[in-house]
Amino acid sequence: AQGDDAAKDNVTIKLVTDSDVPQFFPGLLGYESGTYDIKADFNTMVLTLTKVEGDDPGSGEFDENTAIYIYGGGFDNYTDWEFNRELALIPQGDGTYVSDGAVTLNKWCYFKLEMKDWTEWVRDQSAGSYWTATPRTHDPDNDCNFVPGDAGLEGGDYTVVFDKNALTLTLTPAGVDIDENTAIYLFGGDFFDTADWAFDNKNALVPVGGDIYKSVAPIHLKQWTYFKLEMKDWTEWVPNTATDEYWDATERTHDPDNDGTFSVGNVGLGDGYYNVEFNRGTKMLTVTAAE
């Protein structure tokens, strides 16, 4: 099979007469579900697949044939290993698929992403980020599942977003509105799930009352992820070197040189998911491993 992307491998056509016929699996060569013009050249024995432009579904309305489903087991509110309408992620037209309202997930439920034509995505176990997906041929053994509890999440209601282009899955507690103008971000480098020196909502702390800001969900940190606290107006907090308390912060004018950062490794902690809380009044940061 030969596609528009020159990096894809070619697959030579082979004429056979026995019953053990090799089959083409476009997904193994990086193709996605969609509408294709297909050309078979029996002189060169090459099959060419060209995706029809504008084929990305995205009305924002439910269609069982274009939706991607949270497909798995261990649910309380849904039938295990069925295409539950409530677990459908609906295409938005930009490569993202979003749950139609809140989805109730148990801490230890397990799932992959599946379409009704058995196109599927499972957890990429070789990726640094837990919520990275990879496409594969449907496997009824149902391994390589996503499990919220393995990523430090509790059971509850979540808004689920799957980015089919970036192959990332995002679970955000339902009802949590992240106002980027009032949030405080872990702002630094060498994160598992996010780009360096970026205001990413996965690393946001939101105000919950008084002077307290808390992470929306556990944040995936490496032992030597380094960060300071930053708002989008460039208000920032860095370690207070005048005290003996490591998580004591001090406010300062933004410094683009990015010196003065926190790391969980400096207090004997390692890679993991962490609940993060910041008291803007006392300027004290609390970082606790998610159970």
Side-chain angles (χ1 to χ4, degrees), residues 15 27 40 51 62 77 82 97 108 161 208 213 228 233 235 262 276:
L15 300 180
K51 190 172 184 180
F62 173 71
N77 297 11
E82 291 287 345
Y97 290 67
W108 301 113
V161 179
V208 295
Y213 290 69
K228 51 187 174 178
D233 65 2
T235 301
F262 298 100
V276 182

Side-chain angles (χ1 to χ4, degrees), residues 227 245-249 262-264 267 283-287:
F227 62 90
E245 173 53 57
Y246 181 75
W247 295 114
D248 189 17
F262 298 100
S263 292
V264 296
V267 291
K283 298 183 177 60
M284 184 63 68
L285 186 63
T286 303
V287 180

Side-chain angles (χ1 to χ4, degrees), residues 65 79 84 86 88-89 97 132 156 164-165 173 185 192 201 204 207 218 223 244 249 251 254 264 266 277:
N65 295 312
T79 304
N84 294 275
E86 299 89 345
L89 308 182
Y97 290 67
T132 301
K164 194 173 70 171
N165 297 321
Y185 293 84
F192 272 115
N201 283 345
Q223 181 179 15
D244 294 329
E251 184 175 339
H254 173 67
V264 296
N266 285 330
E277 178 179 315

Side-chain angles (χ1 to χ4, degrees), residues 71-153:
Y71 185 77
F75 303 118
D76 283 340
N77 297 11
Y78 318 111
T79 304
D80 291 355
W81 303 112
E82 291 287 345
F83 292 103
N84 294 275
R85 167 66 180 88
E86 299 89 345
L87 295 179
L89 308 182
I90 299 173
Q92 303 301 302
D94 57 358
T96 61
Y97 290 67
V98 181
S99 57
D100 189 10
V103 172
T104 302
L105 300 176
N106 293 338
K107 181 175 183 177
W108 301 113
C109 69
Y110 42 92
F111 61 87
K112 52 187 174 179
L113 302 175
E114 198 89 34
M115 297 185 74
K116 283 204 167 180
D117 65 1
W118 298 114
T119 300
E120 78 176 20
W121 295 262
V122 297
R123 188 169 72 83
D124 185 348
Q125 295 175 309
S126 66
S129 171
Y130 183 85
W131 296 108
T132 301
T134 185
R136 75 170 185 189
T137 304
H138 174 67
D139 185 344
D141 290 339
N142 297 319
D143 59 343
C144 302
N145 295 302
F146 295 99
V147 180
D150 285 344
L153 296 177

Side-chain angles (χ1 to χ4, degrees), residues 9-271:
D9 298 326
N10 293 342
V11 174
T12 303
I13 298 173
K14 180 181 179 182
L15 300 180
V16 295
T17 57
D18 57 63
S19 60
D20 187 18
V21 181
Q23 301 180 57
F24 293 107
F25 290 97
L28 297 179
L29 294 175
Y31 293 93
E32 299 176 344
S33 298
T35 303
Y36 288 83
D37 290 325
I38 301 176
K39 176 182 177 181
D41 188 329
F42 287 96
N43 294 315
T44 60
M45 303 300 279
V46 170
L47 188 67
T48 304
L49 280 67
T50 304
K51 190 172 184 180
V52 176
E53 292 298 326
D55 177 61
D56 187 21
S59 66
E61 297 181 359
F62 173 71
D63 180 334
E64 65 177 11
N65 295 312
T66 61
I68 295 175
Y69 293 81
I70 297 171
Y71 185 77
F75 303 118
D76 283 340
N77 297 11
Y78 318 111
T79 304
D80 291 355
W81 303 112
E82 291 287 345
F83 292 103
N84 294 275
R85 167 66 180 88
E86 299 89 345
L87 295 179
L89 308 182
I90 299 173
Q92 303 301 302
D94 57 358
T96 61
Y97 290 67
V98 181
S99 57
D100 189 10
V103 172
T104 302
L105 300 176
N106 293 338
K107 181 175 183 177
W108 301 113
C109 69
Y110 42 92
F111 61 87
K112 52 187 174 179
L113 302 175
E114 198 89 34
M115 297 185 74
K116 283 204 167 180
D117 65 1
W118 298 114
T119 300
E120 78 176 20
W121 295 262
V122 297
R123 188 169 72 83
D124 185 348
Q125 295 175 309
S126 66
S129 171
Y130 183 85
W131 296 108
T132 301
T134 185
R136 75 170 185 189
T137 304
H138 174 67
D139 185 344
D141 290 339
N142 297 319
D143 59 343
C144 302
N145 295 302
F146 295 99
V147 180
D150 285 344
L153 296 177
E154 297 294 331
D157 294 337
Y158 290 90
T159 299
V160 181
V161 179
F162 176 52
D163 188 324
K164 194 173 70 171
N165 297 321
L167 294 175
T168 57
L169 189 64
T170 303
L171 277 64
T172 304
V176 175
D177 182 22
I178 300 177
D179 184 341
E180 296 181 353
N181 295 313
T182 61
I184 296 175
Y185 293 84
L186 273 63
F187 189 72
D190 201 23
F191 289 94
F192 272 115
D193 300 337
T194 57
D196 292 353
W197 304 110
F199 292 105
D200 194 298
N201 283 345
K202 289 183 179 179
N203 298 334
L205 310 181
V206 299
V208 295
D211 293 320
I212 305 300
Y213 290 69
K214 290 186 177 182
S215 52
V216 173
I219 298 175
H220 203 186
L221 300 175
K222 297 179 182 178
Q223 181 179 15
W224 299 113
T225 297
Y226 48 93
F227 62 90
K228 51 187 174 178
L229 301 176
E230 197 88 32
M231 297 185 74
K232 282 203 166 182
D233 65 2
W234 298 112
T235 301
E236 74 177 23
W237 295 264
V238 296
N240 184 355
T241 57
T243 72
D244 294 329
E245 173 53 57
Y246 181 75
W247 295 114
D248 189 17
T250 184
E251 184 175 339
R252 74 173 185 188
T253 304
H254 173 67
D255 184 348
D257 290 337
N258 296 320
D259 61 331
T261 55
F262 298 100
S263 292
V264 296
N266 285 330
V267 291
L269 299 175
D271 297 358

